[in-house]
Amino acid sequence: YPCLIRPSYVLSGAAMNVANNKEELLDYLKQANNISPDHPVVITKFINGAQEIDIDAVAKDGEIINWAVSEHVEKGGVHSGDATLLLPSQNIDSETMKTIKENTKAIAKELNITGPFNTQFLAKDNWVGVIETNLRASRSVPFVSKVYNVDFIKNATKAIMGEDVSYDERCDQDPGHVGVKSPQFSFHRLLESDPILGVEMSSTGEVACFGENVEEAFLKSLKSSNINIPEQGSSVCICLKDSNNIEIVNQLNNLGYHIIAGDSETNEILEKNNIFVSTVESENHENIKNKKIDLVLDLTNNHESNYKIRRSAVDYNVSLMTNEEQIKLLVKSLEKKPVLHPKSHDEYFGDKY
């Protein structure tokens, strides 16, 4: 454990679950059997805490023409369609990057690829593994094309049509800005659904924004995807199950945000760490409804007991974040306080455009 369970009769990765122990595994297998006892279930090893990395590439006769290495903000376990992408990548060490590029070249050569393809990698503790390679253009191709100002699809079309296309070195160079692609969700249209991220894709759209640094691009992308960026003094509702992320609360506290405990358990954890705040366990629903809470941060790893808070945030249009890595990047961005420059795509490239 943990392991990933996927009924083989399900298409496009839907209805997958991660089992963290024997009890969860037996429960998921029972559910799958109740739905369709005539079809087998696929069980694979799940790697906790791994970094997920995407490569979008174009090849001709097995040789790379273009490629872009995008890094997921969220750890592996969040569907790539729901992930926040950073490009150029910010936290991949040189050895991991070297291995990823060597593997991508080898895959293109072995499959003799001509056209676009996408390969997804996991990296953890100096280990790199391939999740899958898709012989098609992925949904992130428009994003990477804009970040580097390189038309991946135009080059792929030329390659498929047999035209000569040279390797484009711009994708190996720093473009001088950072692109962030953030997902958009429609949980408000799905009554009683739990608005959490997982191995099943939930997003119904996406936005991409540029910035001079990661923090600027990330805050722009959140604003563009209808996440409210609270100003200092705003009320932030926090949900915790342990003290592992207490530093995040300390940082928000030091930045001047008014911290509200999501439940009595969170309040106890905060008090043990000398953070004394308002507990509104019985009032959370009303406070969210009346917009007395500006942002909900659920750091419980999507615990069932906090479903009502998450759902209330969606139902009353209060910004909600449930992923630890996303929340850490948000707090880092709030600390840096970048200026959000309103610049067009052309302006980021200037004379290079």
Side-chain angles (χ1 to χ4, degrees), residues 205-268:
E206 55 199 9
V207 298
C209 295
F210 289 2
E212 294 179 4
N213 49 56
V214 173
E215 294 80 14
E216 181 191 355
F218 182 61
L219 291 180
K220 281 182 177 178
S221 73
L222 291 182
K223 279 179 171 288
S224 300
S225 58
N226 298 319
I227 297 292
N228 178 50
I229 308 299
E231 298 180 356
Q232 288 184 340
S234 299
S235 295
V236 179
C237 178
I238 302 286
C239 299
L240 300 170
K241 285 299 170 190
D242 51 48
S243 298
N244 291 342
N245 288 303
I246 202 68
E247 184 54 33
I248 292 175
V249 186
N250 274 321
Q251 288 172 292
L252 288 169
N253 210 15
N254 293 336
L255 285 170
Y257 291 95
H258 177 54
I259 307 299
I260 295 176
D263 52 32
S264 57
E265 184 177 359
T266 298
N267 191 61
E268 288 178 12

Side-chain angles (χ1 to χ4, degrees), residues 7 9 33 44 47 74 109 125 133 150 162-163 166 174 176 178 233 237 264 294:
Y9 54 83
N33 183 67
T44 55
I47 301 174
E74 301 81 2
K109 195 171 190 65
D125 301 331
T133 291
V150 174
E163 295 184 26
S166 302
D174 184 352
V178 178
C237 178
S264 57
D294 301 288

Side-chain angles (χ1 to χ4, degrees), residues 7-10 28-42:
S8 62
Y9 54 83
V10 174
Y28 291 139
L29 290 176
K30 182 179 179 180
Q31 291 178 36
N33 183 67
N34 289 340
I35 294 171
S36 182
D38 298 328
H39 292 80
V41 171
V42 177

Side-chain angles (χ1 to χ4, degrees), residues 285-301:
H285 180 80
E286 287 300 314
N287 278 314
I288 290 173
K289 179 180 178 180
N290 297 323
K291 299 296 172 66
K292 293 182 179 180
I293 291 175
D294 301 288
L295 177 66
V296 176
L297 301 179
D298 185 358
L299 286 157
T300 65
N301 195 26

Side-chain angles (χ1 to χ4, degrees), residues 47-51 75 93 95-96 122-129:
I47 301 174
N48 266 335
Q51 183 179 32
K75 298 294 185 184
D93 63 79
E95 280 302 309
T96 299
L122 284 179
K124 184 179 182 180
D125 301 331
N126 299 318
W127 172 86
V128 176

